[in-house]
Amino acid sequence: MPGEIAVFSLLVPSLLPIFMGCFAVFIGLDLLLSRRGLYRHVWHPALFRAALITTLFGAVGMLLRP
């Protein structure tokens, strides 16, 4: 995996597009879980959301390891 990607002559970290994709998946999951009422059963919803985005990003990062 390269360290940087050139986007319109701007160097961005290679994990930035991956994080943006994970964040898009997180937004969809968050909407689904909130509509289903899961957050009523969670002790700290903000902490649960932070753990969810961390888990998604970590899982995708582990899949991309060489």
Side-chain angles (χ1 to χ4, degrees):
M1 175 183 270
E4 297 157 340
I5 300 171
V7 177
F8 300 115
S9 72
L10 177 70
L11 294 176
V12 296
S14 60
L15 290 177
L16 183 63
I18 296 169
F19 181 76
M20 291 171 62
C22 288
F23 193 73
V25 171
F26 165 74
I27 294 295
L29 274 174
D30 188 50
L31 287 173
L32 179 71
L33 294 176
S34 64
R35 287 186 182 165
R36 296 288 182 204
L38 177 81
Y39 290 128
R40 289 181 291 148
H41 305 290
V42 174
W43 172 69
H44 200 290
L47 187 60
F48 183 80
R49 286 180 173 116
L52 183 62
I53 188 66
T54 304
T55 303
L56 284 171
F57 186 57
V60 171
M62 292 296 287
L63 288 174
L64 295 177
R65 267 180 48 184

